[in-house]
């Protein structure tokens, strides 16, 4: 753990003593401390001795003022953080042209990126060595969660996901918006795909929000799309039997790949650990793995499920792929990243005869829940949560939440930040024109919030990486960007 994290952890342990009747102040205090520590983090590299001395003196002063805290006796360690190094990515797109003008929009091929969506690790507090505890399998109130709850200011999950209203409304699409996604680690760049055969890239800052470019070229409904890890490219799929790779800054189409079975393509994804590969699924249930640079398929990179494919999702390491089909089943495939080969592993029936319209993966739901999970939408009026049980994608049912979904391709999302609170949240669209937030660990009344504002079924929802903005889209082509409620306090 670096010195900034140690200082913040020290403050978190004593934070309960500050303004005991004003938890909002405690939350604001730690957020501001965290911001200042990150801004000054570079000083640690220049002269860490000063920071170490500061940490020692502050620890002594806090202990003298408040006494030794319970958690000061806990040893600190890091959990293993596994970030995929995309070693082949820098050379994988040599054949795809980049417009020189893109540099003026802020694109840089050497810009570092971060995968915040898969919370693979963070610092945590462990019990003394003489007391052995097995890792918690659910979100449970253990001593390990004490510092996290203090940093959250003891607010509830519902209070945390309160919204202050609409930030902006986009209506550039003439028909239903089928999917929306914020760019990776970009708070203000949002892409949308539509049934009007176009995609659009929107900028939420500077104000007023605007449409940066419209991606034109598909001839029928755009069913799905995906950002590359560096946000340099967008991959889209359409019922016109093609996939296209776009430059999201200029709007130019860089490559067109046609389905070998002349069938509408319903889902697509970049390989998360090697963006020189992408995967498509079509209406006949056929999966294909393609080389991004050449547009050619890989030998052995073909799979088949029993009916048309509706959605797909990768595990964060890129070694497991889940496919949802029209008959209510989820199939897991093992993926060989080096060769592009795939082979079918397991099948689970979610709801016989009802399409699985969305699959989302998270390695950790919260700092206390380390079970990898799948979030699944199915056309039987429910949102399902599954635990991933093994390395080949086996699933076990964990929870179900009631929503209105009978015919539409509704999608859902995990909240991207690991929760400091007891509980963990997911968000989903619904055919009753509302956006729902569910606490996945609450058995009674799991709905913690509900946003009303759309005038037609809500098809998709997505967060930006720091959860300051939530976007939702509907069947009339409207995209609403919601702003999280932030209370201001004078310090």
């Amino acid at each position: 753990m670096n010195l900034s994290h140690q200082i913040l952890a020290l403050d978190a342990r004593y934070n309960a003593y500050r303004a005991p009747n004003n938890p909002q102040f405690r939350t604001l205090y730690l957020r501001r401390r965290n911001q200042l520590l990150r801004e000054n983090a570079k000083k640690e590299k220049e002269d860490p001795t000063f920071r170490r001395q500061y940490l020692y003196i502050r620890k002594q002063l806090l202990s003298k003022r408040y006494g030794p805290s319970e958690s000061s006796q806990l040893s600190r360690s890091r959990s293993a953080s596994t970030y995929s190094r995309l070693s082949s990515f820098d050379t994988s797109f040599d054949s795809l042209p980049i417009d020189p003008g893109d540099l003026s929009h802020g694109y840089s091929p050497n810009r570092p990126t971060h995968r915040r969506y898969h919370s693979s690790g963070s610092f945590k507090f462990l019990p003394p060595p003489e007391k052995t505890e097995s890792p918690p399998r659910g979100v449970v109130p253990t001593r390990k969660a004490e510092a996290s709850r203090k940093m959250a200011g003891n607010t509830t999950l519902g209070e945390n996901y309160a919204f202050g209203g609409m930030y902006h409304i986009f209506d550039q699409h003439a028909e239903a918006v089928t999917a929306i996604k914020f760019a990776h680690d970009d708070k203000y760049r949002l892409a949308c795909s539509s049934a009007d055969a176009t995609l659009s890239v929107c900028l939420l800052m500077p104000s007023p929000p605007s449409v940066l470019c419209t991606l034109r070229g598909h001839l029928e409904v755009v069913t799905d799309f995906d950002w590359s890890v560096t946000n340099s490219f967008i991959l889209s799929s359409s019922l016109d039997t093609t996939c296209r790779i776009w430059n999201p800054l200029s709007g130019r189409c860089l490559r067109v790949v046609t389905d070998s079975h002349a069938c509408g393509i319903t889902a697509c994804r970049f390989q998360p650990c090697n963006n020189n590969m992408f995967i498509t699924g079509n209406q006949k249930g056929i999966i294909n793995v393609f080389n991004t640079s050449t547009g050619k398929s890989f030998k052995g990179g073909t799979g088949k499920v029993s009916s048309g494919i509706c959605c797909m999702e990768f595990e964060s390491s890129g070694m497991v792929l889940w496919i949802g089909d029209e008959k209510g089943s989820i199939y897991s495939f093992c993926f060989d990243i080096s060769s592009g080969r795939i082979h079918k592993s397991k099948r689970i029936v979610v709801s016989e005869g009802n399409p699985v319209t969305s699959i989302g993966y998270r390695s950790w739901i919260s700092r206390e829940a380390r079970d990898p999970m799948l979030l699944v939408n199915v056309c039987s009026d429910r949102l399902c949560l599954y635990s991933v049980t093994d390395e080949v994608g086996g699933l076990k049912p964990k929870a179900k939440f009631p929503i209105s979904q009978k015919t539409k391709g509704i999608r859902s999302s995990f909240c991207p930040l690991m929760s400091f609170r007891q509980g963990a949240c997911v968000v989903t669209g619904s055919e009753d024109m509302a956006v729902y937030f569910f606490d996945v660990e609450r058995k009674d009344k799991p709905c913690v919030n509900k946003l009303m504002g759309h005038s037609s079924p809500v098809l998709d929802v997505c967060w930006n990486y720091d959860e300051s903005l939530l976007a939702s889209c509907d069947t009339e082509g409207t995209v609403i960007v919601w702003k999280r409620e932030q209370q201001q306090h004078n310090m």
Side-chain angles (χ1 to χ4, degrees):
M1 183 190 302
N2 62 35
L3 291 173
S4 295
H5 285 168
Q6 293 181 42
I7 295 170
L8 187 63
L10 177 66
D11 282 340
R13 291 201 300 275
Y14 286 94
N15 200 36
Y17 298 106
R18 299 186 182 94
N21 297 324
N22 192 344
Q24 291 83 6
F25 176 82
R26 299 200 301 268
T27 303
L28 188 65
Y29 173 81
L30 276 180
R31 286 177 179 171
R32 182 58 179 160
R33 285 285 289 162
N34 189 28
Q35 180 184 0
L36 292 173
L37 288 169
R38 285 187 297 175
E39 289 175 356
N40 297 326
K42 293 182 180 179
K43 294 182 181 179
E44 293 182 11
K45 299 180 180 178
E46 299 171 2
D47 187 11
T49 305
F50 173 78
R51 307 275 281 186
R52 291 194 188 97
Q53 186 178 8
Y54 169 81
L55 176 62
Y56 175 77
I57 294 174
R58 186 167 182 80
K59 183 177 181 180
Q60 298 302 316
L61 290 174
L62 289 172
S63 297
K64 186 175 181 180
R65 181 180 177 90
Y66 299 115
S69 70
E70 224 178 88
S71 52
S72 65
Q73 300 174 9
L74 302 178
S75 60
R76 296 186 292 268
S77 69
R78 282 188 191 176
S79 63
S81 298
T82 307
Y83 291 96
S84 302
R85 300 293 183 182
L86 308 178
S87 57
S88 62
F89 180 72
D90 292 336
T91 59
S92 63
F93 291 103
D94 291 342
S95 64
L96 298 182
I98 299 294
D99 293 341
D102 293 345
L103 297 175
S104 64
H105 291 85
Y107 167 74
S108 173
N110 297 319
R111 184 182 66 181
T113 61
H114 310 280
R115 296 306 303 271
R116 304 187 190 218
Y117 299 96
H118 302 293
S119 302
S120 302
S122 63
F123 71 89
K124 62 179 182 292
F125 296 92
L126 297 177
E130 63 272 12
K131 295 182 180 180
T132 59
E133 292 186 16
S134 59
R137 297 296 292 177
V139 184
V140 293
T142 65
R143 287 199 299 168
K144 299 177 184 181
E146 183 177 348
S148 296
R149 289 197 295 271
K150 289 176 182 177
M151 292 182 72
N154 294 323
T155 57
T156 66
L157 204 63
E159 291 171 335
N160 185 47
Y161 288 106
F163 284 77
M166 298 179 185
Y167 179 79
H168 191 73
I169 298 177
F170 290 100
D171 60 355
Q172 68 270 18
H173 290 289
E175 298 183 40
V177 174
T178 55
I180 50 175
K181 289 180 185 178
F182 278 96
H184 301 305
D185 281 348
D186 195 324
K187 292 172 64 173
Y188 301 116
R189 189 154 46 139
L190 175 70
C192 316
S193 62
S194 174
D196 65 8
T198 67
L199 299 94
S200 59
V201 180
C202 307
L203 291 179
L204 303 179
M205 287 289 286
S207 187
S210 61
V211 178
L212 173 64
C213 61
T214 301
L215 314 181
R216 304 182 187 276
H218 284 296
L219 302 178
E220 294 188 37
V221 175
V222 181
T223 54
D224 198 8
F225 75 95
D226 195 23
W227 288 91
S228 66
V229 172
T230 60
N231 301 325
S232 307
F233 305 97
I234 286 179
L235 169 70
S236 65
S237 61
S238 172
L239 296 183
D240 65 5
T241 74
T242 67
C243 267
R244 292 175 179 258
I245 298 176
W246 310 83
N247 183 323
L249 297 176
S250 67
R252 190 157 67 95
C253 180
L254 306 176
R255 185 172 302 285
V256 181
V257 177
T258 303
D259 184 78
S260 57
H261 296 80
C263 189
I265 303 176
T266 51
C268 63
R269 286 291 181 273
F270 279 112
Q271 220 293 342
C273 294
N274 183 358
N275 279 186
N276 200 34
M277 297 178 181
F278 69 87
I279 295 84
T280 66
N282 68 20
Q283 292 175 316
K284 292 182 179 179
I286 298 172
I287 307 153
N288 287 298
V289 183
F290 292 95
N291 183 295
T292 307
S293 299
T294 64
K296 296 181 179 180
S297 60
F298 284 89
K299 184 178 180 180
T302 302
K304 182 80 167 64
V305 298
S306 61
S307 62
I309 293 170
C310 297
C311 56
M312 60 175 58
E313 178 72 338
F314 269 104
E315 181 257 348
S316 56
S317 71
M319 299 178 67
V320 177
L321 172 69
W322 289 280
I323 300 290
D325 74 358
E326 294 177 344
K327 293 185 177 180
S329 295
I330 294 178
Y331 297 82
S332 65
F333 286 79
C334 293
F335 195 104
D336 186 339
I337 301 175
S338 61
S339 66
R341 294 177 179 269
I342 59 175
H343 67 270
K344 190 184 300 183
S345 174
K346 294 188 176 183
R347 177 196 177 203
I348 180 172
V349 178
V350 179
S351 179
E352 188 69 43
N354 299 305
V356 175
T357 60
S358 174
I359 301 175
Y361 172 82
R362 275 294 296 272
S363 52
W364 284 18
I365 294 183
S366 75
R367 293 179 184 271
E368 284 78 48
R370 288 176 274 186
D371 292 340
M373 298 285 180
L374 279 192
L375 186 63
V376 178
N377 283 88
V378 60
C379 289
S380 59
D381 290 333
R382 56 182 167 170
L383 175 69
C384 303
L385 189 69
Y386 286 87
S387 297
V388 181
T389 58
D390 53 45
E391 66 278 1
V392 294
L395 302 176
K396 179 182 178 181
K398 182 176 176 64
K400 297 177 183 178
F401 309 100
I403 63 171
S404 177
Q405 183 183 2
K406 298 185 185 302
T407 60
K408 303 296 183 182
I410 306 294
R411 303 176 194 244
S412 58
S413 174
F414 287 102
C415 295
L417 296 182
M418 287 197 300
S419 177
F420 283 112
R421 297 155 182 79
Q422 180 183 353
C425 200
V426 297
V427 59
T428 180
S430 178
E431 291 182 11
D432 63 3
M433 302 180 289
V435 176
Y436 288 92
F437 297 76
F438 292 104
D439 182 347
V440 300
E441 290 291 323
R442 186 185 296 182
K443 297 185 183 299
D444 297 325
K445 298 181 180 180
C447 182
V448 297
N449 200 359
K450 178 181 178 181
L451 300 180
M452 303 292 293
H454 287 276
S455 57
S456 62
V458 180
L459 297 181
D460 196 6
V461 291
C462 69
W463 290 99
N464 64 353
Y465 73 84
D466 67 351
E467 292 187 0
S468 59
L469 297 171
L470 174 74
S472 57
C473 62
D474 63 31
T475 57
E476 291 183 347
T478 302
V479 175
I480 299 179
V481 181
W482 310 83
K483 187 176 183 179
R484 281 276 290 278
E485 188 175 81
Q486 294 182 350
Q487 298 180 358
Q488 299 295 329
H489 300 271
N490 295 323
M491 297 186 64

